[in-house]
Amino acid sequence: MHDLDDLSPLLDALNPAQREAVCAPPGHTLVLAGAGSGKTRVLIHRIAYLMQACQVPAHAVLAVTFTNKAASEMRERLHKLSRLPIGGLWVGTFHGLAHRLLRLHWQEAQLPQGFQILDSDDQARALRRIIKNRSLDEKLWPAAKMQWYINQKKDEGLRPAQIDPGDNRHAQILWEIYEDYQQFCTRSGLVDFGELLLRTHELFKQQPALLAHYQQRFQHVLVDEFQDTNHIQYLWLRQLTGLQGAAFAVGDDDQLIYGWRGAKPGNLQQFQADFAPVQLVRLEQNYRSTGLILAAANALIHHNTARLGKTLWTSGAEGAPIGLYGARNEYDEARFITERIQAWVAQGCPYAECAVLYRSNAQSRVLEETLGAAKLPYRVYGGQRYFERAEIKDALAYLRLLANSDDDSAFERAVNTPTRGIGDTSLEQVRQLARKQGLSLWRASQHLLADNTLSARAGNALRRFLELILRLRQETAALSLSALTDQVLQQSGLLDFYRQKKGEKEQMRVENLEELVSATKQYQDDATDLSATLRAEGQTPLLAFLSNAALDAGDEQTPTNQDTVQLMTLHSAKGLEFPLVFLCGLEEQLFPHRMATQTEGGLEEERRLCYVGITRAMRQLYFSHAEVRRLHGTETYSRPSRFIQEIPSGLVEDVRLKTVAHAPYRPPAATLAHSTAEFHIGQHVSHPKFGEGVVLSGEGQGASARVEVNFGRQGVKWLVLAYANLQASPPRS
DNA sequence: CCTTTATTTTTTTTT
DNA sequence: AAAATAAAGG
């Protein structure tokens, strides 16, 4: 043990409770840490403490975080704090770590070396295909539901063999689809998110020697955001900790927001029971938020039942009340936010201190429009991720095929994008043969070509496609990752395909594809720790890049260090903090979300989500809601969220816009006729030829403005206003 | 077989 | 509103 002087820089900055956690004796520890109580800080200091005071080598430490963002932040902070060599330290998400283990031990896990990760979009496509193959009605068996079922089973650690479908017909079909899907994955060398965890769990179960190796290596396993751990992750943790390892879990039951992914409120209690004896430490002092913000958070979360119970307090200032803005519509709301941010910046504070949080990704669009119009720099986290864009997925499909020709998911995607004369008819033949013989699409294609079963035209097209892939593989074998990507984009014709089109969207796609080449270039230059290790562990750059693309959906594409307003969902805001926070869209049906109110316990989870949002704020917090909002294409009126009512009114203050001078903002909207609102829906009109009718809907402006009119017996017609000579008429009695 | 247009469906959160 | 699918036209 070093003497205390060495440790003082490490421990001095901590409060007693934090120090207790950091210096907890060997054995299992559970830290119940409220929002803003220095959770991450404790975790990082704990690792440094283990290394400095207890002589624990870096390679004996495994730290699990919830997002990739959190993982890289932890590495960074650890490096700053201790300047110790942390090379052998494993930090990552459950999925990231499981993936790493599977890459290392692909043989023992019975996976092909080039196995690829299936994202949820690929998964949905695969399931749609399977449902079609079984000639089930897609209306009755929506892929999304099947996806949900399968993922849930995997999260519970269940294979088809371990599920008893019983004699319920519905359950049996679900079971069969799961079985089919699993076969598809195996045949194609594909692994979905849930599979990463389940497969690793089984790998450890089947290979005791391997497990023993890792148990011996990882003396300390630390888990952040423990409350959001699901069953399979929990099993994993227990397995890895074994009999000798020490688990150090940090969590807050009030911040459990991934119940829909299998996290259970009982997690923390379960940990105490299973890992007993557990040293319990509570962190209740909040260093982040003002007194008023904290009071609001406490009051809100108090409406939940079955909590472990914990009340945050602060010795800091009371701060300003929470501002509440009732907007007329979502544009008005965005304008309010814009204005407040401008005022904030006018005081000399950076944009980067401002965060706008919302319930669903779709809400970001209006905010982006408005912020952009006001020329405020912003950055959107999550949402349509870079690697999820259609054109990027197209390009990646080619890369995946290069890595593994049996990847059916990639095959389906690449084979006719850009169109090269391999239509659904020919493809169906390939699929049929593949199904009958249990082959991959690639192999089935080879067979069909060898047997000459296809028409000359289709056969040639297909042959050219296979040759293209083979040629690319050969020619690029010696090239760098970026040169390889460049070649693929050129030779596949993808780049030309989008270039030929004139639309603005297509231009964007071309730019995105070009960006992909520079992304690969950047990737090979300053690769992250994970990819560096992956490569050191014998992965080809291509494989490492593809895995990275699937697991870390390109959140770090744009540089983090720029001074921009931060836009993100409440879910992605977990673990972060900002001086100025806007919580917008606080309306019934949106937040709490309609979908959540229909599930058991859904409302409480929404409330916890709101709690997470509130506790992100350090100095100033604003709530906003809109009377009317365009949601899924239709105008929706809604009441302010119940969460607003649940906060004592003394903590909240109504705010108004300072500049009310100009007319209320009107979204670029839907007036029906070419001359302003000549006709409205439900209006009675008369037409020289068709007679009397009622306006059903309308679209377009100026010369192309049209209305849809129901003329009763004459039927429903679309009429161009410029020609139709429609007259407004009084309703018939 | 490809492209364009019309129709229908689906609307949360993420690894 | 956007995306997926179906139908029609070339």
Side-chain angles (χ1 to χ4, degrees):
Chain A
M1 183 74 70
H2 281 204
D3 53 285
L4 276 168
D5 283 349
D6 280 356
L7 295 173
S8 63
L10 192 63
L11 302 178
D12 279 357
L14 302 173
N15 72 24
Q18 290 174 336
R19 199 171 308 148
E20 188 190 348
V22 167
C23 306
H28 304 307
T29 312
L30 176 62
V31 182
L32 288 178
S37 62
K39 193 158 49 88
T40 315
R41 193 184 166 80
V42 163
L43 215 50
I44 288 164
H45 282 252
R46 171 71 173 178
I47 297 175
Y49 174 82
L50 288 172
M51 289 168 64
Q52 280 180 8
C54 310
Q55 308 296 317
V56 173
H59 69 255
V61 178
L62 175 74
V64 190
T65 61
F66 209 70
T67 61
N68 292 301
K69 208 192 291 172
S72 49
E73 192 185 305
M74 182 173 294
R75 268 186 176 281
E76 208 174 295
R77 284 176 63 174
L78 199 55
H79 183 71
K80 266 190 209 145
L81 179 70
S82 68
R83 282 173 294 124
L84 288 166
I86 50 172
L89 186 77
W90 278 32
V91 187
T93 61
F94 275 109
H95 292 90
L97 294 165
H99 170 245
R100 187 168 173 182
L101 286 164
L102 291 179
R103 283 281 173 222
L104 279 169
H105 305 290
W106 54 274
Q107 274 166 313
E108 294 96 317
Q110 289 158 21
L111 285 167
Q113 184 169 23
F115 76 86
Q116 284 304 309
I117 296 166
L118 203 65
D119 70 17
S120 62
D121 183 54
D122 295 331
Q123 194 184 33
R125 278 165 198 276
L127 282 166
R128 227 169 278 142
R129 193 79 267 148
I130 286 163
I131 290 159
K132 246 184 210 154
N133 286 346
R134 288 194 155 261
S135 14
L136 290 166
D137 185 351
E138 283 173 85
K139 306 252 159 61
L140 291 170
W141 303 92
K145 289 254 169 65
M146 305 299 105
Q147 216 176 336
W148 189 79
Y149 169 86
I150 290 173
N151 292 338
Q152 197 194 36
K153 291 299 170 206
K154 289 196 177 182
D155 281 345
E156 287 167 17
L158 297 174
R159 294 281 181 203
Q162 289 145 324
I163 301 168
D164 175 20
D167 40 4
N168 178 328
R169 184 89 193 96
H170 188 265
Q172 280 170 2
I173 294 180
L174 281 173
W175 186 87
E176 286 167 21
I177 292 176
Y178 185 6
E179 181 81 42
D180 272 11
Y181 167 77
Q182 205 51 50
Q183 267 176 32
F184 156 83
C185 289
T186 311
R187 194 174 61 230
S188 306
L190 294 169
V191 167
D192 61 42
F193 290 128
E195 184 77 18
L196 285 170
L197 302 172
L198 182 49
R199 194 58 86 104
T200 315
H201 174 66
E202 289 171 349
L203 170 70
F204 281 153
K205 223 160 49 180
Q206 286 153 16
Q207 310 272 340
L210 191 70
L211 175 61
H213 166 77
Y214 282 105
Q215 284 176 336
Q216 199 138 44
R217 168 171 175 177
F218 295 122
Q219 294 295 309
H220 295 272
V221 181
L222 301 91
V223 187
D224 197 6
E225 309 282 8
F226 181 76
Q227 75 283 354
D228 278 320
T229 309
N230 65 30
H231 186 65
I232 188 77
Q233 292 169 332
Y234 186 76
L235 287 181
W236 214 81
L237 175 68
R238 277 180 59 180
Q239 216 172 17
L240 211 49
T241 313
L243 296 171
Q244 323 147 44
F248 188 93
V250 181
D252 177 4
D253 58 325
D254 289 331
Q255 293 190 66
L256 192 158
I257 57 176
Y258 285 91
W260 50 277
R261 225 174 65 185
K264 279 188 277 299
N267 264 350
L268 298 165
Q269 289 93 329
Q270 174 106 45
F271 181 87
Q272 291 182 71
D274 289 350
F275 284 81
V278 172
Q279 156 101 352
L280 185 71
V281 183
R282 282 168 185 274
L283 304 181
E284 294 186 312
Q285 183 176 4
N286 174 295
Y287 293 94
R288 179 186 293 155
S289 311
T290 64
L292 282 181
I293 290 172
L294 220 49
N298 281 333
L300 177 84
I301 202 65
H302 209 75
H303 285 81
N304 272 4
T305 55
R307 302 173 49 223
L308 282 182
K310 153 176 66 24
T311 304
L312 285 175
W313 60 277
T314 177
S315 60
E318 196 173 59
I322 296 165
L324 172 65
Y325 182 68
R328 264 145 300 299
N329 55 39
E330 70 272 32
Y331 284 88
D332 187 24
E333 179 182 54
R335 207 163 55 94
F336 163 74
I337 292 169
T338 306
E339 193 172 283
R340 288 287 153 157
I341 294 176
Q342 281 168 332
W344 177 267
V345 173
Q347 288 171 25
C349 301
Y351 287 111
E353 290 186 348
C354 316
V356 187
L357 310 181
Y358 37 81
R359 175 67 235 265
S360 67
N361 284 305
Q363 288 170 256
S364 79
R365 238 194 59 199
V366 173
L367 292 164
E368 287 184 66
E369 263 175 51
T370 312
L371 288 173
K375 303 226 184 335
L376 300 191
Y378 65 86
R379 163 151 157 47
V380 188
Y381 286 83
Q384 244 282 19
R385 290 169 161 72
Y386 177 73
F387 287 114
E388 279 167 15
R389 292 176 193 179
E391 65 277 16
I392 299 301
K393 295 207 69 175
D394 291 340
L396 291 181
Y398 281 93
L399 295 177
R400 278 165 58 178
L401 268 184
L402 287 191
N404 167 19
S405 7
D406 292 332
D407 186 336
D408 282 359
S409 182
F411 188 97
E412 288 263 11
R413 194 161 186 122
V415 70
N416 208 28
T417 351
T419 49
R420 45 170 74 84
I422 307 168
D424 218 34
T425 339
S426 340
L427 212 49
E428 197 48 47
Q429 287 195 55
V430 179
R431 289 195 197 107
Q432 256 179 38
L433 181 72
R435 198 156 59 235
K436 225 184 287 164
Q437 312 236 2
L439 300 169
S440 68
L441 293 177
W442 175 270
R443 296 202 156 272
S445 306
Q446 287 179 320
H447 281 235
L448 280 181
L449 288 176
D451 299 349
N452 248 334
T453 7
L454 287 168
S455 72
R457 192 167 155 188
N460 277 330
L462 188 59
R463 177 170 295 115
R464 273 204 301 278
F465 174 68
L466 298 193
E467 280 165 5
L468 169 72
I469 300 296
L470 288 174
R471 193 176 68 237
L472 274 170
R473 186 179 294 155
Q474 211 163 35
E475 285 176 4
T476 58
L479 293 181
S480 71
L481 179 58
S482 62
L484 181 156
T485 310
D486 190 48
Q487 279 301 303
V488 167
L489 291 184
Q490 305 281 348
Q491 298 211 27
S492 65
L494 260 183
L495 213 45
D496 288 333
F497 176 67
Y498 286 119
R499 267 201 193 119
Q500 272 169 21
K501 309 205 169 182
K502 319 162 235 305
E504 206 166 310
K505 250 188 202 152
E506 280 73 21
Q507 285 323 109
M508 275 292 286
R509 290 182 194 277
V510 173
E511 280 173 34
N512 284 333
L513 283 174
E514 283 163 350
E515 209 177 304
L516 181 65
V517 180
S518 43
T520 52
K521 200 171 286 167
Q522 211 173 20
Y523 181 81
Q524 56 192 6
D525 294 346
D526 64 13
T528 60
D529 300 288
L530 177 67
S531 44
T533 25
L534 276 180
R535 227 172 307 156
E537 282 158 5
Q539 297 304 312
T540 66
L542 177 60
L543 274 180
F545 179 74
L546 286 174
S547 321
N548 187 56
L551 280 177
D552 182 10
D555 237 15
E556 308 298 328
Q557 277 313 108
T558 32
T560 345
N561 42 11
Q562 283 184 25
D563 184 29
T564 58
V565 177
Q566 318 283 304
L567 269 59
M568 67 189 84
T569 62
L570 286 152
H571 282 89
S572 17
K574 190 171 71 161
L576 305 175
E577 60 180 24
F578 308 93
L580 173 61
V581 168
F582 296 88
L583 244 169
C584 63
L586 279 168
E587 294 134 45
E588 285 294 308
Q589 310 296 313
L590 183 60
F591 190 30
H593 198 278
R594 189 166 55 89
M595 291 303 179
T597 50
Q598 286 161 9
T599 35
E600 177 72 24
L603 187 65
E604 296 218 340
E605 182 153 320
E606 294 287 294
R607 193 175 283 114
R608 290 193 293 267
L609 192 56
C610 188
Y611 175 81
V612 167
I614 292 173
T615 52
R616 297 311 94 193
M618 298 162 80
R619 278 156 45 204
Q620 177 71 67
L621 175 64
Y622 287 106
F623 291 154
S624 62
H625 62 88
E627 269 170 52
V628 195
R629 181 184 296 273
R630 201 159 247 287
L631 220 54
H632 320 303
T634 44
E635 306 243 279
T636 324
Y637 287 79
S638 39
R639 304 271 87 216
S641 170
R642 70 191 76 187
F643 298 150
I644 296 175
Q645 327 272 302
E646 289 174 0
I647 293 168
S649 52
L651 304 174
V652 183
E653 187 181 81
D654 280 315
V655 277
R656 241 153 254 305
L657 277 179
K658 279 177 201 132
T659 55
V660 239
H662 39 288
Y665 189 93
R666 203 180 275 263
T671 32
L672 281 190
H674 58 309
S675 54
T676 339
E678 236 178 288
F679 304 100
H680 57 84
I681 291 164
Q683 166 123 47
H684 290 257
V685 292
S686 65
H687 184 273
K689 198 160 137 205
F690 302 123
E692 297 280 312
V694 180
V695 177
L696 296 177
S697 65
E699 65 176 28
Q701 274 152 26
S704 63
R706 314 186 300 152
V707 288
E708 187 185 28
V709 183
N710 183 0
F711 289 106
R713 232 182 297 152
Q714 310 273 345
V716 177
K717 317 260 180 211
W718 276 100
L719 302 168
V720 177
L721 287 172
Y723 306 114
N725 192 21
L726 267 189
Q727 299 291 319
S729 66
R732 284 169 293 179
S733 45

